[in-house]
Amino acid sequence: MNKHTTQADFPTEFDYIIVGGGAAGCVLANRLSARSTLRVALIEAGGPDNTPRIHVPAGTISLYKSQKYTYQYYSTPQAHLDNRRIHVPRGRMLGGSSSMNSMIYIRGARSDYDHWESLGCTGWGYDSVLKYFMREEDNRLHQDPHFHGTGGELIVDQPRDPLGVSRLFIQAAEEVGLKENADFNGAQLEGVGIYNVTQKDGKRLSAYRAFVAPVRSRPNLHVLTNCRVASLVTDGQSVQGVTVEHNGQFHVLRAHRETILSAGAIGSPHLLMASGIGNAAQLLESGVPVVADLPQVGCNLQDHIDGLVTLRSGSATTLGFSRASLGSVLPAPLQFLLKRKGWLTTNYVEAGGFASTRYAQGVPDVQFHFVPGYRSHRGRLFEWGHGFALHTCVLRPQSRGSIRLTRDGSRAPEIDFNFLSDERDALVLLEGIKLARRILRASAFDGIRGKEMAPVAALQTDAELMAYLRATASTVFHPSGTCRMGSDDASVLTPDLKVRGLKGLRVADTSIMPTLISGNTNAPTMMIGDKAADMILSELA
């Protein structure tokens, strides 16, 4: 849909309406529209993805503060993080956050999904979800066919031109006892290595580019962009569609079968609550008439809290801007254009891995993202000079936060991660940062290591490091859990992703996760969309 669309040609009747053109929504749109008798709408509040900032891997760094392509959310002051507000950017364009993430392909641990099933989420165990990961995948790395697929829409490949310093990270990690792992999505998660990425010919392969762009010509698939969903259309018993705003005009779009929310762990509960579906007392406080009292909508918010160790370096072999690096920086655009090589191919976290602290219970409990360039200790996007850094996050946080509507009349989402409210997360993060320091102090880095800028070498005691983490820790941008599925009456969704107490409404995105998976959430979110489509189509048979 473009700005010239008129009232007369605005489509309003569909079988299925999918709210959100991100990772899950794009897979759903592909799978449902493959049945030619079904009329499917994919609604995206943002616009098209037609900018090099999205498609060139290194462009990702320019998107996090973009007003055009990103929702610029901020959390409430975090009581256990020195009352800081945490920046929470989310994708606002076709592809959603898959159009601005670091393109890392990680599924999580087998035990994550088996745990879901043990909580009553029948059909969500690892053996059940593996087939969806494999069906979607076009693995270009000749990895174990017991875990990987070929011929799917999503290309999984290695980075085109990783920096040599990323290999130094692997060597350094091996020095402290971690082993190299060539496939984090295979038989085991633990270890370090170069991350696999979702790229095609050296360019970003978002969920939109993988699953929707190739089939957008299907006559039964309608992709509506710059189209904000204001509320669900409901009679209190069922949902019949959505009210949308486009070019200042409001339209009612009808879904004859189902409306599916794929707006993410912030967007989906927010839309439910804005439509009167949620905790009745909180809705009334925000001035929203109650349609359905579902107290757990917006609860159970989880995210991977992250700490940073960052060092300066005098070596121009790391990413950075200096006179010495001009020979690499200036030819980078031409190198990328002609050969898909050079600095513009970086996703800034080329290497990393998974490790177990002393608190782990048989499966890694921290993840590393290694940055082969200087990560500003002041929070800036760019700093003059060189260095390298290591992010460390808590994989299975115990802290729980919430999304609710603000009480100021705006009905905006109020995001409270409640980070480190559970002391167990603080203990794991502290041990993870200590391990990160050991890795960066290993002899592999001796030739290029400079001054530690954060947390700074003088901070050595647990109390000092914990104070540093409370002053600086942030999110890895993996919010989840706010429309939890389960078999208990308190869950928002049944295991087939239907909203309890309402007909014609499902949710399919990271918000359905009862517990956060152990790693980056892009691949699991696409799996959720794929499995949701199968469940929907099976009911039509």
Side-chain angles (χ1 to χ4, degrees):
M1 189 180 301
N2 57 50
K3 63 182 179 181
H4 303 297
T5 301
T6 66
Q7 176 75 29
D9 62 16
F10 197 105
T12 60
E13 302 287 330
F14 306 94
D15 291 298
Y16 294 96
I17 292 175
I18 303 163
V19 179
C26 285
V27 178
L28 271 162
N30 175 294
R31 301 294 191 243
L32 296 182
S33 66
R35 188 166 296 192
S36 61
T37 57
L38 299 177
R39 200 171 190 214
V40 179
L42 177 65
I43 303 176
E44 170 54 44
D49 64 344
N50 52 0
T51 171
R53 295 165 64 186
I54 292 173
H55 301 297
V56 176
T60 182
I61 200 171
S62 73
L63 296 170
Y64 283 88
K65 295 187 177 181
S66 169
Q67 296 292 330
K68 180 177 181 180
Y69 295 108
T70 311
Y71 291 102
Q72 294 295 318
Y73 295 125
Y74 282 85
S75 75
T76 61
Q78 296 296 285
H80 305 281
L81 296 182
D82 293 353
N83 287 315
R84 292 181 295 117
R85 298 177 69 213
I86 304 299
H87 185 211
V88 195
R90 307 304 297 159
R92 188 177 182 273
M93 73 288 255
L94 286 172
S97 293
S98 76
S99 288
M100 64 175 288
N101 65 9
S102 297
M103 298 155 279
I104 297 172
Y105 184 80
I106 293 290
R107 299 172 180 173
R110 170 186 287 270
S111 58
D112 295 333
Y113 303 101
D114 290 343
H115 180 55
W116 290 3
E117 189 148 51
S118 74
L119 295 174
C121 300
T122 304
W124 289 91
Y126 179 80
D127 290 334
S128 297
V129 303
L130 178 59
K131 66 179 181 181
Y132 296 104
F133 285 118
M134 294 177 66
R135 178 167 80 176
E136 296 163 6
E137 186 180 16
D138 187 5
N139 188 282
R140 301 290 176 87
L141 301 170
H142 307 291
Q143 291 174 318
D144 189 342
H146 291 97
F147 298 98
H148 295 281
T150 56
E153 296 88 351
L154 188 69
I155 294 173
V156 176
D157 207 345
Q158 60 187 0
R160 292 297 291 265
D161 197 15
L163 275 77
V165 68
S166 294
R167 294 294 314 177
L168 288 184
F169 162 75
I170 297 170
Q171 295 173 27
E174 288 180 312
E175 286 186 46
V176 302
L178 297 176
K179 295 182 179 180
E180 184 168 1
N181 186 348
D183 184 5
F184 297 119
N185 303 298
Q188 68 172 28
L189 187 65
E190 192 146 14
V192 294
I194 302 295
Y195 280 128
N196 295 345
V197 291
T198 52
Q199 293 181 2
K200 181 180 181 180
D201 299 327
K203 298 170 69 175
R204 174 190 298 276
L205 188 63
S206 69
Y208 171 72
R209 287 289 159 178
F211 291 94
V212 175
V215 301
R216 194 161 175 178
S217 61
R218 289 175 178 168
N220 63 324
L221 175 60
H222 301 265
V223 180
L224 313 180
T225 57
N226 297 304
C227 198
R228 182 183 69 88
V229 177
S231 65
L232 299 172
V233 177
T234 175
D235 61 7
Q237 303 296 318
S238 64
V239 171
Q240 294 92 30
V242 297
T243 300
V244 301
E245 181 186 7
H246 176 69
N247 289 338
Q249 293 185 320
F250 286 87
H251 309 266
V252 173
L253 310 185
R254 298 284 179 179
H256 295 295
R257 294 186 180 274
E258 287 187 346
T259 298
I260 308 153
L261 304 188
S262 295
I266 297 172
S268 287
H270 178 234
L271 182 55
L272 287 173
M273 290 184 286
S275 303
I277 303 166
N279 183 298
Q282 292 181 3
L283 294 177
L284 292 173
E285 284 181 14
S286 300
V288 178
V290 178
V291 171
D293 183 14
L294 286 177
Q296 290 298 304
V297 171
C299 297
N300 195 46
L301 175 61
Q302 301 154 66
D303 203 342
H304 291 133
I305 188 169
D306 176 84
L308 175 70
V309 180
T310 185
L311 283 76
R312 280 294 194 183
S313 174
S315 173
T317 61
T318 64
L319 290 174
F321 293 96
S322 67
R323 293 184 181 88
S325 69
L326 289 179
S328 299
V329 174
L330 293 178
L334 191 60
Q335 285 179 317
F336 183 80
L337 184 64
L338 297 179
K339 298 181 179 180
R340 297 290 190 264
K341 297 286 187 179
W343 277 26
L344 292 182
T345 66
T346 189
N347 66 343
Y348 302 102
V349 280
E350 297 172 348
F354 301 84
S356 298
T357 74
R358 60 191 171 114
Y359 301 106
Q361 297 179 344
V363 65
D365 56 354
V366 294
Q367 181 180 5
F368 298 120
H369 291 88
F370 176 73
V371 181
Y374 185 63
R375 185 73 168 81
S376 173
H377 62 291
R378 292 179 282 211
R380 297 175 180 174
L381 286 179
F382 296 101
E383 290 265 5
W384 183 258
H386 295 272
F388 49 95
L390 190 56
H391 288 271
T392 306
C393 73
V394 177
L395 279 179
R396 285 178 300 285
Q398 302 301 311
S399 301
R400 296 293 184 268
S402 64
I403 308 287
R404 60 174 297 174
L405 298 182
T406 56
R407 285 143 286 185
D408 60 5
S410 69
R411 300 183 182 178
E414 180 180 279
I415 306 165
D416 182 8
F417 291 106
N418 206 19
F419 278 137
L420 298 191
S421 57
D422 192 305
E423 187 64 20
R424 288 173 290 181
D425 296 344
L427 294 174
V428 173
L429 184 58
L430 179 62
E431 291 301 309
I433 284 293
K434 290 179 182 178
L435 180 55
R437 266 184 151 178
R438 288 176 57 205
I439 293 171
L440 296 184
R441 291 172 177 173
S443 64
F445 285 116
D446 283 353
I448 63 170
R449 188 190 304 103
K451 181 180 179 181
E452 183 179 281
M453 303 299 293
V456 306
L459 303 184
Q460 292 294 328
T461 69
D462 285 359
E464 290 170 336
L465 287 175
M466 200 64 245
Y468 161 75
L469 291 169
R470 294 190 189 280
T472 61
S474 192
T475 167
V476 189
F477 316 118
H478 300 155
S480 70
T482 48
C483 296
R484 175 179 68 87
M485 65 171 168
S487 59
D488 58 298
D489 291 340
S491 59
V492 178
L493 311 174
T494 54
D496 56 2
L497 308 186
K498 294 179 180 180
V499 176
R500 291 186 180 277
L502 287 168
K503 297 179 180 178
L505 181 62
R506 296 195 209 221
V507 180
D509 53 33
T510 57
S511 71
I512 74 144
M513 296 181 176
T515 53
L516 182 54
I517 62 97
S518 305
N520 310 76
T521 51
N522 188 44
T525 308
M526 288 185 273
M527 176 276 291
I528 289 168
D530 209 354
K531 184 171 172 60
D534 252 15
M535 291 189 289
I536 292 167
L537 292 172
S538 70
E539 295 184 6
L540 300 179

